[in-house]
Amino acid sequence: MAQLKKSKGEITREKLTFVAAALFHEKGYHAVGLNEICAVGDLPKGSLYYHFPKGKEQIAIAVIDAAKHQVAADLRAATSSATSLEEFIDLLLARFAQNLEQSEFNKGCPITTINLEMAGTSDAIRAACADAFENWIGLCTGVFRDAGIADKKAHELAELIYASVEGAMILARAQRDVSPILRAAPYLKTLVA
Amino acid sequence: MAQLKKSKGEITREKLTFVAAALFHEKGYHAVGLNEICAVGDLPKGSLYYHFPKGKEQIAIAVIDAAKHQVAADLRAATSSATSLEEFIDLLLARFAQNLEQSEFNKGCPITTINLEMAGTSDAIRAACADAFENWIGLCTGVFRDAGIADKKAHELAELIYASVEGAMILARAQRDVSPILRAAPYLKTLVA
Amino acid sequence: MAQLKKSKGEITREKLTFVAAALFHEKGYHAVGLNEICAVGDLPKGSLYYHFPKGKEQIAIAVIDAAKHQVAADLRAATSSATSLEEFIDLLLARFAQNLEQSEFNKGCPITTINLEMAGTSDAIRAACADAFENWIGLCTGVFRDAGIADKKAHELAELIYASVEGAMILARAQRDVSPILRAAPYLKTLVA
Amino acid sequence: MAQLKKSKGEITREKLTFVAAALFHEKGYHAVGLNEICAVGDLPKGSLYYHFPKGKEQIAIAVIDAAKHQVAADLRAATSSATSLEEFIDLLLARFAQNLEQSEFNKGCPITTINLEMAGTSDAIRAACADAFENWIGLCTGVFRDAGIADKKAHELAELIYASVEGAMILARAQRDVSPILRAAPYLKTLVA
DNA sequence: ACATCCGGGACAGCCCGTTCAT
DNA sequence: ATGAACGGGCTGTCCCGGATGT
């Protein structure tokens, strides 16, 4: 049975992760200072190092992990509400497009910026990102396999579609226009048909 | 006839742009300091400020512009040496995969990291990235159109394929493996067939 | 009863203010760097930023406020030891003249230089200076009023005398000679007679 | 007869002095950069060092000298248009008060800020300021002597009145109100009566 | 256990005043 | 008379811990 009450420490820790996640999502890793995280979360600097003694990198990894579970939950929601692969793809694209627009094109993939900034510097962060990507692509692979596509192809398609969405979001952020995401839909659907 | 000799100032400026491009490419925008650029290029800080009085942002824009031309030249080279759309796609993917591997997965797209880091902060940088993306996709569009594909579809395909490559490179960096790029090839080829 | 022990932080903060006050007094606002303040006080920059998160301006305001209290205390001391208005004026002028000479004409009014440098730039600093001036002139006004001079005239005289001293100190610094201050005494005394 | 045409070099030099004078007047010495002077005057940096090879200090001295002549001319104008010592004092105060107000309290004495900032650092600048002050006070002394006041007293009065105006302008800048200048008038007049 | 204070250096980006080669 | 280069200094703020409660 789930724990009913969170200790004060857990609350602080979650708040830190939550605030850091939002800031990293919008601005990336290096543009966010620990001061800023504490200020937004209204927490003293000392608390941060109590909960994350290894510092900023550890926070980032916690954030990446949290994002992994969040997006996974979204994917499962899309899976259960979609009645066809086409609809699944539409839901997927629509969700990312919506997130972008609602945040005025500031929130794309929650971990891509961190990944690109830190992949060459911190192997722990890189690995955490790889784990998240793998998890998400794995979930999509499951969807396609459940629809009768062979294992290998299902994985390749999931990977390609996920990559396309990632890339389209990058274009969309640069152009401040979600069209690149939406224009990809019909072509991606033909691939899974 | 073209100018045979470059002035000393132009050489310094180009060196700055070149060094900054390499550093930004590998580490992104925020992780690179102006001190570092000067140190690597063996130039004093004053020179940098003389050529780029508006600072780091101005350097980044110059770098993005240089990358635009560099990639465009590569695309034209691929175009002229390819004898079919399939081969063009292969050359494209191979080139990016090769760049990644040769740099130990540190050099993906030369401007994507900057774009993601700064799109929400600097509209000038965002616009410069959008311009570069548009330029590259436009060149690909031309290739597809020359192969007989209708304008609209040519552009949509170019955009999707470019987005796929972008996304695949991100996955590849996280996984330290170029497979995601290469695995996309057959599917992208079916789209242009 | 007053607090007997100061916390470590308070001591550091006071040291910063004290060192900054001395430097600003001698060299003005812009000529003093935060690095210099830290170096003289043997403190790291982090400490400074911790106590004065808003930076140099905030330090300047703290310095102005400290100077206000310091000069006010001096004025009260002069008031209580003087037995006549004439003697009060003499003490006042003598004190400023002495400060100038002892500092080799480097320390005039502790806030005038800051005021002139920053009045047009920082309204907060300007206001802090205005507050200090008002405080000092107010104290002098009180002295004159206690000697039987009517309110309005007491204030006007206090203001004029203070202005004369300010101006005389400026001349004295330029000429490296306190005579302008001392020569003013008889005339100022006739005004209060 | 005076030279009718100025050489290009003289024009540039005068423009530099003029621009620098305005900037120093409003912001003081350290707050004005040579870049700023060149930018405002639309002149290349090289020109500045051609005309003032000793740099910023030399410019400041030229500015102080120009201010000396300018204020001296103003004093002579006041002298010739005033029909009494009282009127002379009124004209003097009114002029400074007007300058302050018209510049939104940014332009007090053209050299006091420089004097306070640099008296302890640059003896050349200090001496130039002392020379200007002496010149102005000398002119006033002449006025008083011409009105029949004995030499010594004439000089002391001139000095005191000038000091009062200096100090009153400082108060006026801090308070953003010219009243301290105007309130001094009647008392200063009684001194010369 | 948990939180907070108070530093502690290093370095960021920016811009300075200056000089040299042309 | 000037474009270019030159270092160094500015303020700000980074990420990080030891000391100190409670």
Side-chain angles (χ1 to χ4, degrees):
Chain A
M1 183 171 172
Q3 193 176 347
L4 289 180
K5 221 177 170 177
K6 284 170 188 166
S7 70
K8 198 176 168 211
E10 273 174 336
I11 291 175
T12 301
R13 193 190 156 93
E14 280 179 15
K15 191 173 186 183
L16 276 169
T17 314
F18 183 77
V19 168
L23 291 170
F24 283 153
H25 195 173
E26 287 206 26
K27 314 208 282 181
Y29 183 82
H30 285 112
V32 175
L34 300 189
N35 287 323
E36 189 181 4
I37 294 172
C38 292
V40 172
D42 197 25
L43 293 162
K45 277 263 260 313
S47 295
L48 194 151
Y49 270 86
Y50 177 78
H51 291 286
F52 299 95
K54 289 205 272 197
K56 198 177 186 180
E57 186 183 43
Q58 193 182 357
I59 297 177
I61 291 171
V63 164
I64 293 163
D65 199 60
K68 177 173 85 172
H69 290 101
Q70 176 63 45
V71 173
D74 288 353
L75 284 176
R76 274 190 284 265
T79 307
S80 58
S81 74
T83 57
S84 67
L85 287 188
E86 281 85 356
E87 199 183 340
F88 174 71
I89 288 177
D90 275 332
L91 283 174
L92 198 66
L93 298 190
R95 200 192 102 82
F96 281 118
Q98 189 188 12
N99 280 352
L100 258 185
E101 274 193 321
Q102 282 179 354
S103 63
E104 293 187 81
F105 297 93
N106 286 322
K107 296 197 172 185
C109 172
I111 66 168
T112 301
T113 310
I114 300 178
N115 179 38
L116 289 180
E117 282 184 277
M118 299 302 291
T121 303
S122 160
D123 206 62
I125 288 180
R126 182 201 59 71
C129 290
D131 181 54
F133 286 140
E134 200 175 334
N135 181 265
W136 299 338
I137 292 170
L139 286 171
C140 292
T141 302
V143 173
F144 295 156
R145 209 164 37 202
D146 291 349
I149 299 175
D151 274 25
K152 181 162 173 290
K153 190 179 175 188
H155 179 262
E156 287 171 0
L157 276 175
E159 187 175 69
L160 173 60
I161 288 171
Y162 186 75
S164 303
V165 176
E166 278 283 341
M169 280 198 292
I170 288 165
L171 296 178
R173 285 196 78 182
Q175 302 172 205
R176 296 186 77 81
D177 179 358
V178 294
S179 304
I181 302 173
L182 306 179
R183 278 196 287 258
Y187 297 94
L188 298 181
K189 287 180 194 168
T190 66
L191 290 174
V192 301
Chain B
M1 184 169 175
Q3 191 178 351
L4 290 180
K5 223 179 172 174
K6 284 172 188 166
S7 70
K8 200 176 168 211
E10 275 173 335
I11 292 174
T12 302
R13 195 191 154 94
E14 281 177 14
K15 189 173 185 185
L16 276 169
T17 314
F18 183 78
V19 169
L23 290 169
F24 283 151
H25 195 173
E26 287 206 27
K27 313 209 280 180
Y29 184 81
H30 286 112
V32 175
L34 300 189
N35 287 322
E36 188 180 5
I37 294 172
C38 292
V40 172
D42 196 27
L43 292 163
K45 281 261 265 303
S47 293
L48 191 152
Y49 185 69
Y50 177 77
H51 290 285
F52 299 96
K54 291 207 274 223
K56 199 177 186 181
E57 186 182 45
Q58 194 182 359
I59 297 180
I61 290 171
V63 164
I64 293 163
D65 199 60
K68 177 174 87 171
H69 290 102
Q70 176 62 46
V71 172
D74 288 354
L75 283 177
R76 274 190 282 265
T79 307
S80 58
S81 73
T83 58
S84 68
L85 286 187
E86 280 83 357
E87 198 183 342
F88 174 72
I89 288 177
D90 275 333
L91 283 173
L92 197 65
L93 298 189
R95 200 193 102 81
F96 281 118
Q98 189 189 13
N99 280 352
L100 258 184
E101 274 192 320
Q102 282 179 354
S103 63
E104 294 188 80
F105 296 94
N106 286 321
K107 295 197 173 187
C109 171
I111 67 169
T112 300
T113 310
I114 299 178
N115 179 38
L116 289 179
E117 282 184 276
M118 299 302 291
T121 304
S122 160
D123 205 62
I125 288 180
R126 183 200 58 71
C129 290
D131 181 53
F133 287 140
E134 199 177 335
N135 182 264
W136 300 339
I137 291 171
L139 287 171
C140 292
T141 302
V143 173
F144 295 157
R145 210 164 36 202
D146 290 350
I149 299 176
D151 274 23
K152 184 161 172 289
K153 190 179 175 186
H155 179 262
E156 287 172 359
L157 277 173
E159 188 175 67
L160 173 61
I161 288 172
Y162 185 74
S164 303
V165 177
E166 277 284 339
M169 280 198 292
I170 288 165
L171 296 177
R173 285 195 77 181
Q175 303 172 203
R176 297 187 74 84
D177 179 358
V178 294
S179 304
I181 302 172
L182 305 178
R183 278 197 288 259
Y187 296 94
L188 298 181
K189 287 182 194 165
T190 66
L191 289 174
V192 301
Chain C
M1 183 169 177
Q3 192 178 350
L4 290 179
K5 221 181 174 173
K6 284 173 188 167
S7 70
K8 202 177 167 211
E10 274 173 337
I11 292 174
T12 302
R13 195 191 154 93
E14 280 178 16
K15 189 173 186 184
L16 277 168
T17 314
F18 182 78
V19 169
L23 291 169
F24 283 150
H25 194 172
E26 287 207 27
K27 314 209 280 179
Y29 184 82
H30 286 112
V32 175
L34 300 187
N35 288 322
E36 189 180 4
I37 294 172
C38 292
V40 172
D42 196 27
L43 293 162
K45 277 268 259 304
S47 293
L48 192 151
Y49 184 68
Y50 177 78
H51 291 284
F52 299 95
K54 291 208 273 222
K56 199 177 186 178
E57 187 182 43
Q58 194 182 358
I59 297 179
I61 291 171
V63 164
I64 293 163
D65 199 60
K68 177 174 84 172
H69 290 101
Q70 176 62 47
V71 172
D74 289 354
L75 284 176
R76 274 190 284 264
T79 306
S80 58
S81 73
T83 57
S84 67
L85 285 188
E86 280 83 357
E87 197 183 342
F88 174 71
I89 288 177
D90 275 333
L91 282 173
L92 198 66
L93 298 190
R95 201 193 102 82
F96 282 119
Q98 188 187 14
N99 281 352
L100 258 185
E101 273 192 321
Q102 281 179 354
S103 63
E104 294 188 81
F105 297 93
N106 286 323
K107 295 197 172 185
C109 172
I111 67 169
T112 300
T113 311
I114 299 179
N115 179 38
L116 289 180
E117 282 184 276
M118 300 302 290
T121 304
S122 159
D123 205 62
I125 288 179
R126 183 200 57 72
C129 291
D131 182 53
F133 286 139
E134 199 176 336
N135 183 262
W136 300 337
I137 291 171
L139 287 170
C140 294
T141 302
V143 173
F144 295 156
R145 210 166 33 204
D146 290 349
I149 300 178
D151 274 24
K152 184 160 171 289
K153 190 179 176 189
H155 179 263
E156 287 171 359
L157 276 174
E159 188 176 68
L160 173 61
I161 288 173
Y162 186 75
S164 303
V165 177
E166 278 284 338
M169 279 198 292
I170 289 164
L171 296 178
R173 285 195 77 182
Q175 301 172 205
R176 298 186 74 82
D177 179 357
V178 295
S179 304
I181 302 174
L182 306 179
R183 278 195 288 259
Y187 297 94
L188 298 181
K189 286 181 197 167
T190 66
L191 290 175
V192 301
Chain D
M1 181 170 176
Q3 191 176 351
L4 291 179
K5 222 178 170 176
K6 285 172 188 167
S7 70
K8 198 174 166 215
E10 275 174 338
I11 293 175
T12 301
R13 195 191 153 94
E14 281 179 14
K15 190 173 186 183
L16 276 168
T17 314
F18 183 77
V19 168
L23 291 169
F24 283 151
H25 195 173
E26 287 208 25
K27 314 209 280 181
Y29 184 82
H30 285 112
V32 175
L34 300 189
N35 287 322
E36 190 181 3
I37 294 172
C38 292
V40 172
D42 197 26
L43 293 164
K45 215 131 135 222
S47 293
L48 194 152
Y49 270 87
Y50 177 78
H51 292 285
F52 299 95
K54 290 205 266 187
K56 198 177 185 179
E57 187 183 43
Q58 193 181 357
I59 296 177
I61 290 170
V63 164
I64 294 163
D65 199 59
K68 176 174 84 172
H69 290 101
Q70 176 63 46
V71 172
D74 288 353
L75 284 176
R76 274 189 284 264
T79 307
S80 58
S81 74
T83 58
S84 68
L85 285 187
E86 280 84 358
E87 198 183 342
F88 173 70
I89 288 177
D90 276 332
L91 282 173
L92 197 66
L93 298 189
R95 200 194 103 84
F96 281 119
Q98 187 187 14
N99 281 352
L100 258 185
E101 274 194 320
Q102 283 179 353
S103 62
E104 294 188 80
F105 297 93
N106 287 321
K107 296 198 171 183
C109 172
I111 67 167
T112 301
T113 311
I114 300 179
N115 179 38
L116 289 180
E117 282 184 275
M118 299 303 290
T121 305
S122 159
D123 205 62
I125 287 179
R126 183 199 58 72
C129 290
D131 181 53
F133 286 139
E134 199 175 335
N135 182 264
W136 300 337
I137 291 170
L139 286 172
C140 293
T141 302
V143 173
F144 295 156
R145 210 164 36 203
D146 291 350
I149 300 175
D151 274 25
K152 183 161 172 289
K153 189 178 178 190
H155 179 261
E156 286 172 358
L157 276 175
E159 187 176 67
L160 173 61
I161 288 172
Y162 186 75
S164 303
V165 177
E166 278 284 340
M169 280 198 292
I170 289 164
L171 296 178
R173 285 196 77 182
Q175 303 173 204
R176 297 185 77 82
D177 180 357
V178 293
S179 305
I181 302 173
L182 305 179
R183 277 196 288 259
Y187 297 95
L188 298 181
K189 286 180 196 167
T190 67
L191 290 173
V192 301

